[in-house]
Amino acid sequence: MEVKKIMADLERKHPGESEFLQAVQEVLESIEPIYNQHPEFEAAKIVERIVEPDRVFTFRVTWVDDKGEVQTNIGYRVQFNSAIGPYKGGIRFHKAVNLSMLKFLGFEQTFKNALTTLPMGGGKGGSDFDPVGKSNGEIMRFCQAFMTELWNNIGVDTDIPAGDVGCGGREIGFLNGMYQKLARKYHTGVMTGKGMTWGGSILRPEATGFGALYFTNLVLKTAGKDIKDKTVAISGFGNVAWGAAMKATELGGKVVAISGPDGVCHIPAGITAEMIDYMPVMRSSNRNKVQDLADKFPSLVTFVPGKKAWSVKCDIALPCAFQNELNGDDAKELIANGTWCCCEVSNMGCTPEAIHEFQSNGILFAPGKAVNAGGVATSGLEMTQNCMHISWTGKEVDERLHHIMESIHEACVTFGTQPDGHIDYVKGANIAGFMKVAQAMLEQGII
Ligand code: GLU
């Protein structure tokens, strides 16, 4: 395999799909040396096959807003790879959603899900629907319209969607309700991230953030450090940022910043339990303004408009919002301010330039597909509970999540330890995830 040639072919076939091409390039660069030691992969053209989704559905979503006006959005479901299990992955509702974004997310999801140790293939879906400023009724009508097209392509053994940016517990409720009405199938396991009274798993809402901090802790421990009394900057204030802020605080870290599209909230004394509780309130208001935190807690929080979380001095940076939210200049600013660890919690949160800055300056860095895998792993645990028709306690789920994050860390160490002894978590995660999917594809023939 030659990365340059594969990338040139992909660029020709999918011009302009910048996020997708970026995600593929990163994985291929990591796996090239090891792939080339496996002639059986080359003979079965594993790489050429793994970079193309199994199939993509796109559909029109038409709904009526509160003013009585007709709105039309585009809906997608990318069923990327099912070599190790049914398609599994979230649904993103954001105005910037397009095919490139969902293909990158489906591709990443394939390897992330492989890392979780659970039998889940990779998928992703979403729409360019913008939840900002929408009423509850509008969100419900949009979700129902989205599901009228999607329902026939998902199922408990085929494709199991969940939440992602702009799609939380409320949206999963509306989607699941419409699915059951249309499909007349009442198995609880066709979506994950469900409410606690209708098949949801305890700790699923917190799982991405909690898992990310368990992983961060392992990265720190392996490097002979810990999080106690360290300052932490977090981007975003959605579900992932909320869980991360809660667990970072619980483990003794001091969260000094959270941010939004409007700017950053600086919290010099550290985030409080009341502020953490306020994060979901801010999110579900659909205002998308982090300034609301400073308005609510004026004596403890300073809002700086137009600035990112990376402008705040911190030991540990945790991108928890969107792809490419931390670029090369941000990485330089962080490093100049003394940051020594960055664990990517969002999917592809750092640009290649930022990762290069971190790695070449000896900053501890771990990629999203390992760090944030606790979310989908706990979705896998939710599916298991649904299939067994039982419900585990929070303690049981937490122990399993812990164990899974430890396994992922171990896989990164196994595949990412370099000749000089340092651990390259990017390589480790990419190689470990790829080898599992590639082997499964190989054993199942040319399909
Ligand atoms: N959207 C989440 C992710 O990026 C969770 C997916 C899921 O639970 O299926 O992994």
Side-chain angles (χ1 to χ4, degrees):
M1 182 239 311
E2 232 189 284
V3 176
K4 265 201 184 128
K5 188 180 167 305
I6 308 244
M7 288 312 300
D9 280 353
L10 264 193
E11 278 173 48
R12 188 175 40 75
K13 278 192 244 176
H14 308 292
E17 293 190 358
S18 59
E19 296 95 342
F20 172 60
L21 295 167
Q22 179 187 336
V24 173
Q25 169 117 19
E26 184 202 284
V27 170
L28 297 194
E29 278 173 2
S30 290
I31 61 150
E32 186 176 17
I34 195 148
Y35 187 87
N36 289 336
Q37 291 164 17
H38 286 268
E40 70 281 15
F41 288 166
E42 186 76 52
K45 294 272 186 288
I46 296 288
V47 151
E48 288 81 349
R49 289 158 59 201
I50 219 168
V51 298
E52 288 295 339
D54 289 353
R55 66 193 68 78
V56 176
F57 300 107
T58 68
F59 45 90
R60 193 186 68 233
V61 184
T62 303
W63 55 284
V64 180
D65 70 16
D66 285 350
K67 293 193 224 91
E69 276 172 30
V70 176
Q71 299 289 340
T72 296
N73 291 103
I74 313 177
Y76 305 86
R77 186 72 184 166
V78 178
Q79 295 186 333
F80 216 101
N81 190 296
S82 61
I84 65 169
Y87 305 104
K88 178 81 196 92
I91 290 184
R92 178 171 288 195
F93 295 147
H94 189 278
K95 59 176 190 253
V97 160
N98 57 25
L99 185 57
S100 165
M101 197 190 292
L102 296 179
K103 277 175 66 182
F104 119 64
L105 288 162
F107 181 76
E108 289 279 297
Q109 197 82 42
T110 300
F111 303 109
K112 182 197 317 193
N113 293 4
L115 287 171
T116 64
T117 72
L118 304 174
M120 299 183 290
K124 202 84 185 193
S127 173
D128 61 351
F129 172 73
D130 182 6
V132 177
K134 299 293 188 296
S135 71
N136 206 42
E138 288 176 322
I139 291 194
M140 182 178 77
R141 290 196 297 281
F142 167 78
C143 288
Q144 292 176 336
F146 183 85
M147 190 50 83
T148 56
E149 276 292 332
L150 186 64
W151 74 274
N152 211 13
N153 296 312
I154 59 173
V156 70
D157 297 318
T158 49
D159 185 350
I160 304 97
D164 195 80
V165 174
C167 181
R170 168 182 50 186
E171 290 75 13
I172 293 295
F174 295 147
L175 291 164
N176 197 69
M178 198 60 177
Y179 172 82
Q180 295 200 337
K181 188 173 175 69
L182 294 166
R184 299 200 185 178
K185 288 187 181 140
Y186 308 100
H187 194 291
T188 47
V190 76
M191 314 228 20
T192 60
K194 298 181 290 292
M196 295 305 144
T197 56
W198 43 283
S201 172
I202 296 177
L203 272 193
R204 177 62 189 91
E206 295 87 347
T208 311
F210 279 21
L213 266 297
Y214 296 156
F215 194 91
T216 303
N217 234 0
L218 290 164
V219 171
L220 299 182
K221 201 171 140 204
T222 310
K225 300 177 183 282
D226 70 55
I227 194 173
K228 193 130 191 37
D229 301 325
K230 306 299 182 309
T231 48
V232 180
I234 290 179
S235 62
F237 59 93
N239 168 263
V240 175
W242 167 74
M246 202 186 318
K247 192 51 87 175
T249 309
E250 203 183 299
L251 295 173
K254 190 161 124 185
V255 177
V256 291
I258 64 167
S259 66
D262 51 332
V264 62
C265 279
H266 189 195
I267 318 162
I271 203 163
T272 62
E274 293 73 28
M275 292 178 203
I276 294 172
D277 287 347
Y278 195 58
M279 289 167 79
V281 179
M282 286 155 61
R283 171 55 57 201
S284 58
S285 76
N286 286 346
R287 284 168 45 78
N288 211 17
K289 289 202 180 341
V290 80
Q291 185 177 0
D292 292 355
L293 189 79
D295 293 346
K296 177 93 178 160
F297 302 95
S299 60
L300 297 171
V301 180
T302 313
F303 174 67
V304 187
K307 285 280 184 193
K308 292 184 179 183
W310 323 131
S311 61
V312 176
K313 184 176 164 49
C314 64
D315 295 304
I316 300 167
L318 300 177
C320 290
F322 217 58
Q323 72 267 6
N324 293 330
E325 56 173 313
L326 196 164
N327 63 30
D329 289 341
D330 298 325
K332 282 188 188 137
E333 186 171 4
L334 281 167
I335 296 167
N337 281 334
T339 297
W340 46 267
C341 174
C342 173
C343 283
E344 197 184 52
V345 192
S346 41
N347 291 308
M348 207 167 78
C350 297
T351 63
E353 295 74 29
I355 298 175
H356 175 76
E357 284 298 326
F358 288 139
Q359 291 186 326
S360 57
N361 283 285
I363 307 298
L364 290 173
F365 176 77
K369 62 170 80 65
V371 178
N372 75 30
V376 72
T378 307
S379 278
L381 300 178
E382 182 173 331
M383 288 159 67
T384 307
Q385 293 169 79
N386 294 156
C387 287
M388 294 166 80
H389 305 284
I390 57 164
S391 164
W392 289 326
T393 62
K395 188 168 170 284
E396 281 173 293
V397 177
D398 199 31
E399 276 169 12
R400 285 184 164 88
L401 172 61
H402 246 285
H403 181 71
I404 289 171
M405 298 317 293
E406 275 165 12
S407 307
I408 299 173
H409 187 265
E410 212 174 285
C412 290
V413 173
T414 304
F415 288 97
T417 302
Q418 300 303 295
D420 66 358
H422 98 274
I423 302 161
D424 183 331
Y425 283 92
V426 175
K427 276 206 172 100
N430 284 334
I431 297 173
F434 176 86
M435 290 303 271
K436 183 168 173 185
V437 180
Q439 191 62 32
M441 288 175 71
L442 193 67
E443 287 170 22
Q444 293 176 77
I446 308 300
I447 45 166

